[in-house]
């Protein structure tokens, strides 16, 4: 149901809007729940020194939700910036920008996940 000109230019519905919107809303909800968990968990710590926080994060009860929080936040971040790039970047730089965004998000998530796992499995500094 699109016009000839719209098909030639590649405009029109890609039928991905609802899927993308749903993922963004889902990650927003999980971010909210996991951030409430994080703030409540940190508030219940007896102290905020390095050793206490490291001991707390070494527990599976803290490491697993923290990993879920990292994945959810980075995925939500990537979805939001992808929309901004698709809406405002020039057509010539859009593909490169999205590839760079994906690499950046994967790098951030990888470093954060590695750090949490290193602490959780008790690696020495």
């Amino acid at each position: 149901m699109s016009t000839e000109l719209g098909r030639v230019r590649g405009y029109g519905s890609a039928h991905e809007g609802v899927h993308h919107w749903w993922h963004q809303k889902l990650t927003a909800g999980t971010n909210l729940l996991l951030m409430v968990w994080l703030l409540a968990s940190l508030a219940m710590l007896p102290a905020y020194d390095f050793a206490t926080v490291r001991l707390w994060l070494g527990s599976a009860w803290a490491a697993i939700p923290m990993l879920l929080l990292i994945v959810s936040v980075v995925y939500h971040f990537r979805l939001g910036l992808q929309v901004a790039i698709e809406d405002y970047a020039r057509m010539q730089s859009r593909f490169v920008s999205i590839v760079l965004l994906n690499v950046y998000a994967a790098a951030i998530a990888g470093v954060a996940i590695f750090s949490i796992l290193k602490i959780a499995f008790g690696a020495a500094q």
Side-chain angles (χ1 to χ4, degrees):
M1 299 287 181
S2 65
T3 65
E4 295 292 326
L5 184 59
R7 275 186 292 221
V8 170
R9 288 187 178 165
Y11 297 138
S13 176
H15 302 289
E16 290 290 326
V18 173
H19 180 262
H20 193 97
W21 177 85
W22 179 246
H23 278 218
Q24 209 158 12
K25 298 305 175 200
L26 186 65
T27 56
T30 57
N31 288 347
L32 179 65
L33 291 174
L34 289 167
M35 287 302 280
V36 167
W37 163 83
L38 177 64
L39 294 174
S41 296
L42 290 176
M44 291 190 293
L45 288 178
Y48 300 111
D49 61 306
F50 181 77
T52 304
V53 174
R54 186 178 174 117
L55 182 65
W56 167 76
L57 196 54
S59 162
W61 293 107
I64 292 171
M66 187 65 79
L67 290 170
L68 293 173
L69 177 64
I70 295 298
V71 169
S72 181
V73 165
V74 171
Y75 185 56
H76 185 78
F77 161 79
R78 192 194 68 76
L79 288 173
L81 279 181
Q82 180 181 341
V83 169
I85 289 169
E86 289 170 349
D87 287 348
Y88 299 110
R90 292 186 182 150
M91 189 63 98
Q92 298 84 359
S93 63
R94 194 173 294 167
F95 177 75
V96 172
S97 298
I98 290 177
V99 168
L100 290 174
L101 171 64
N102 288 335
V103 169
Y104 180 72
I108 292 296
V111 168
I113 289 169
F114 175 78
S115 300
I116 292 168
L117 289 176
K118 187 175 177 181
I119 291 171
F121 290 126
Q125 289 180 340

